[in-house]
Amino acid sequence: MVHVDGELASIGGAPKREIERTVASHTGMRLEPSGRGQEYWVIGRLDMDSLMFCARLPKPARPKKARGALSHELSAMLVLASEPQPEDTFLDPFAGSGSFVVTRLGMPAEEIIYSDLDLAEHRDQLPGEALRDRRVRLLAEDAMTLPSLPDGSVDVIVTDPPWGEHEELPVPYEEFAASTCDSFARVLHPTRGRFVLLCNRRGAPIFDHAFDAAGFQVHATHEILVNGHPATVFVGTRRTTPDRPEAKATPEATTTPRSTPTRRPSKPLLIGMNTYRRSLNRFSR
């Protein structure tokens, strides 16, 4: 298979046969045009000057996720966007089915905190590793207060708050976003604290304002689709510029969202997420 920036590409007959002969001679395997077997891929990226030759690894069987839960792949992408470190105290304050917690369990961490007001409802559906791993701490707390967590005790937050579309929030969405960001500002470490937050596209300007008011700096935003629904990913840290003091949100500021500024991601969340046919054709030539 040949795959260039998110799309399958064709390859000439002679080069294809040469690759097949080379693989067969080095592995002792025989070519099967169809059926289940070991797959090899030639993968290209427009921002790389060479091709990658890859063997597709088998995926381990994973339990089926609850309806509406984030996929394993998207959960992994968002956790990796937080730049995990072995000494991290990790928190998901809207943990729900535990997607981010389970993903982070596959990486080194000092402590992994699952928090959700509906913990009692979700506990029976949580994967076994989230219940058995000694690094995991389960909390049933309101993300807008998080009373059990001391100030500055968390290194990284990765979370997917309620979108305010199919569930009833206790307060207006603007107030919800402001209180959530203030809570993050309290528990995140003052120098190494960082976050990745996923929200619906319509709520992105509201969260963007709330982050700014709570003293955060958003380094990148990514516009993606989640189960077909437009969404925005925020990646950021505590604000570090000394000449700009942390602002406190006023009642007027929390109810009037500003437009989301254009930020070019420092690096793609997923290389090849946006694919253009003309780019593919240029790469082929």
Side-chain angles (χ1 to χ4, degrees):
M1 310 293 289
V2 180
H3 198 257
V4 178
D5 258 24
E7 290 189 0
L8 292 174
S10 60
I11 184 173
K16 185 172 185 290
R17 288 191 294 273
E18 180 63 25
I19 293 174
E20 290 169 351
R21 283 195 296 267
T22 303
V23 171
S25 66
H26 281 77
T27 63
M29 293 188 288
R30 68 178 187 279
L31 176 66
E32 286 286 351
S34 61
R36 295 183 178 275
Q38 174 63 59
E39 294 183 14
Y40 291 94
W41 291 64
V42 176
I43 297 180
R45 294 285 183 260
L46 292 177
D47 57 352
M48 297 177 60
D49 57 5
S50 59
L51 296 169
M52 295 175 284
F53 182 71
C54 309
R56 184 172 184 175
L57 301 177
K59 286 187 177 181
R62 300 191 181 200
K64 187 176 179 180
K65 289 209 166 189
R67 184 178 180 181
L70 298 181
S71 68
H72 295 287
E73 291 77 15
L74 180 55
S75 298
M77 288 165 57
L78 298 184
V79 169
L80 289 172
S82 71
E83 301 183 358
Q85 303 296 323
E87 64 276 9
D88 281 344
T89 293
F90 172 93
L91 167 67
D92 181 358
F94 298 97
S97 62
S99 296
F100 294 137
V101 167
V102 171
T103 298
R104 190 59 208 258
L105 281 172
M107 310 171 192
E110 286 292 326
E111 185 177 24
I112 299 173
I113 304 172
Y114 169 111
S115 182
D116 196 287
L117 267 177
D118 298 323
L119 172 60
E121 177 184 336
H122 292 297
R123 186 187 287 269
D124 291 340
Q125 283 76 44
L126 289 178
E129 56 263 43
L131 299 174
R132 293 189 300 266
D133 198 301
R134 293 183 178 181
R135 295 175 296 168
V136 176
R137 180 180 172 192
L138 300 178
L139 299 176
E141 296 187 351
D142 188 342
M144 293 186 284
T145 57
L146 297 169
S148 296
L149 300 181
D151 295 0
S153 61
V154 173
D155 298 302
V156 58
I157 293 174
V158 180
T159 194
D160 175 19
W163 288 16
E165 295 179 340
H166 307 293
E167 64 278 282
E168 184 177 349
L169 296 175
V171 294
Y173 194 79
E174 292 83 359
E175 185 179 343
F176 166 77
S179 298
T180 297
C181 291
D182 285 342
S183 177
F184 289 4
R186 182 185 68 80
V187 301
L188 277 173
H189 192 277
T191 58
R192 59 177 181 267
R194 56 201 189 277
F195 66 89
V196 175
L197 181 139
L198 172 69
C199 70
N200 67 323
R201 189 77 52 81
R202 285 181 294 180
I206 297 172
F207 260 106
D208 185 69
H209 176 82
F211 282 131
D212 184 70
F216 288 110
Q217 183 174 359
V218 175
H219 298 292
T221 58
H222 305 276
E223 294 188 352
I224 64 173
L225 292 177
V226 179
N227 298 324
H229 300 284
T232 298
V233 177
F234 289 96
V235 182
T237 61
R238 303 295 295 266
R239 186 179 295 138
T240 56
T241 51
D243 57 340
R244 186 176 183 184
E246 294 188 2
K248 292 296 182 182
T250 64
E252 293 79 13
T254 58
T255 57
T256 307
R258 62 185 173 87
S259 58
T260 304
T262 301
R263 298 184 180 91
R264 291 187 62 83
S266 56
K267 54 184 177 181
L269 187 66
L270 175 63
I271 296 175
M273 187 173 289
N274 297 317
T275 302
Y276 299 94
R277 176 59 63 180
R278 63 179 180 272
S279 299
L280 183 62
N281 290 340
R282 184 172 69 251
F283 190 93
S284 298
R285 289 196 297 271

